[in-house]
Amino acid sequence: MLLQNKFFRTTLGIIFLLLILYLGSKVIVLFSPIGTIINLLLVPMMLSGFMYYLLRPLVNYLEKRKLKRPIAILLIYAVFIALFAIFWVAVWPTLQEQIQNFIRNAPYLVQDIQTQFDRLREDPLFARFFRGESDLTVRLTEYLQNAVTWVSNSISNLITVISNIVVVVATLPIILYYMLKDSHKLPPILLGLVPRKYRSEGQETLEQVDSALSSFIVTRVILNLILGLTLFIGFLVIGLPYALLLALVSVPLNFIPYVGAILASIPVVIVSFIESPMTALWSLVVIVVSQQIQDNLLTPIIYGKSLDIHPLTTVILVLIGGEFYGIIGVLIALPVYMTVKIIFLRVYEIIVAERTNET
């Protein structure tokens, strides 16, 4: 009789769940090697999946033009090598010079910002805004000093960063090659895990997930590349130092929803403020205009529709992803959520349909 009581069954289920979590916490050390492997492969797998959705349409097109799939993939690799060679010859020298100058001048950034604050205090137009705000400027200076210290400490870990990049560069082309070559083999394997009576629903769900991820990744890449080009042109027009470096830094940061645009604008405003307050104002104008062009003009044309994700949900997902996996978690939070949401809604529809048929 007790098993037929809904409250008793719910309580028993909660007890069993807590028991499983408790026992799992006791043996979690046994799974630490698995966690290490996942952390090691997470970045190459994420980048490979990212590049897979970008290159798959091109590979499919070349395959339709009577090129064998492996040959098409190798041909695309050859094009990428040629583009990298052009980048190395035409762009890298300028970028390298800007990086070196920025690192060389980094220790003097705080001093230059303090100098600009002092000039603003002496200006009659801005002096009234700084009355009684000396503590604020001191705190801002301390924050900037901490930021410069953090950058200096990060440079000391350059060897570790380079080693990680070497691992990614060495494994990414191999993983990506087999993703592009054998991607058609994955759906049957996944469908084999689904009960036979739900195979058609499973096929539709996989197609929905694939379409959502492809649309999200391809459109975000196109939009952010255009945004980076717009910012670079605007920075050149206003004479902003480190224009190429700041534009390139802004591109990956803008992949982070909502928060990314703010993070990308911080170094731009700091560098431009050191140049002059008017340059900082014009840099903000460039950023705002570029963002408005992306959001109100390009997004409706390229993407055609907005993500069915509430802004508050997006912010929460970004915070959760950042807490668990740092910048990688922030970048994959939305794609993971989209995938889970599609699968959950599909399973829910199947359960509701079965209960309706039973009644």
Side-chain angles (χ1 to χ4, degrees), residues 10-27:
T10 303
T11 304
L12 193 62
I14 294 174
I15 292 174
F16 275 118
L17 177 61
L18 294 176
L19 181 61
I20 291 172
L21 293 175
Y22 173 75
L23 294 176
S25 65
K26 295 299 181 182
V27 297

Side-chain angles (χ1 to χ4, degrees), residues 43-48 51 77 166-178:
V43 174
M45 291 296 294
M46 184 196 74
L47 293 177
S48 298
M51 296 297 297
Y77 276 24
V166 169
V167 171
V168 172
V169 171
T171 56
L172 188 147
I174 300 173
I175 298 173
L176 178 60
Y177 174 83
Y178 285 103

Side-chain angles (χ1 to χ4, degrees), residues 253 256-264 315 318-319:
L253 288 177
I256 304 173
Y258 300 107
V259 183
I262 299 175
L263 294 177
V315 173
V318 169
L319 293 176

Side-chain angles (χ1 to χ4, degrees), residues 249-261:
V249 169
S250 298
V251 171
L253 288 177
N254 274 283
F255 277 96
I256 304 173
Y258 300 107
V259 183

Side-chain angles (χ1 to χ4, degrees), residues 99-202:
I99 293 174
Q100 291 174 345
N101 289 338
F102 183 82
I103 294 175
R104 189 182 305 115
N105 296 326
Y108 307 103
L109 288 178
V110 175
Q111 180 180 350
D112 293 338
I113 292 174
Q114 185 63 52
T115 300
Q116 290 294 348
F117 274 125
D118 293 338
R119 289 177 180 174
L120 287 177
R121 271 201 211 90
E122 296 172 359
D123 192 316
L125 182 62
F126 296 96
R128 63 177 180 272
F129 295 106
F130 289 92
R131 291 173 183 172
E133 297 293 331
S134 58
D135 292 340
L136 176 61
T137 56
V138 170
R139 286 198 297 271
L140 287 174
T141 304
E142 291 178 354
Y143 294 150
L144 292 170
Q145 181 66 55
N146 293 333
V148 172
T149 302
W150 178 80
V151 171
S152 302
N153 293 335
S154 299
I155 295 175
S156 64
N157 297 325
L158 185 60
I159 296 177
T160 303
V161 173
I162 292 176
S163 65
N164 291 335
I165 293 176
V166 169
V167 171
V168 172
V169 171
T171 56
L172 188 147
I174 300 173
I175 298 173
L176 178 60
Y177 174 83
Y178 285 103
M179 277 187 173
L180 293 169
K181 178 177 176 290
D182 299 327
S183 59
H184 62 283
K185 298 180 181 179
L186 182 60
I189 296 175
L190 295 177
L191 290 175
L193 304 175
V194 179
R196 188 176 299 275
K197 62 181 295 188
Y198 301 120
R199 293 282 171 84
S200 60
E201 290 83 357

Side-chain angles (χ1 to χ4, degrees), residues 301-358:
I301 296 174
I302 297 176
Y303 195 53
K305 61 179 181 179
S306 60
L307 289 174
D308 187 19
I309 303 177
H310 193 277
L312 179 59
T313 303
T314 302
V315 173
I316 293 174
L317 290 171
V318 169
L319 293 176
I320 294 175
E323 179 66 23
F324 280 96
Y325 283 104
I327 187 63
I328 302 300
V330 168
L331 294 176
I332 67 175
L334 278 185
V336 170
Y337 172 78
M338 293 165 56
T339 303
V340 173
K341 181 181 179 180
I342 292 173
I343 296 174
F344 175 81
L345 291 178
R346 192 61 177 170
V347 172
Y348 179 77
E349 291 174 0
I350 294 173
I351 294 174
V352 171
E354 288 186 343
R355 289 184 176 179
T356 303
N357 293 333
E358 289 177 358

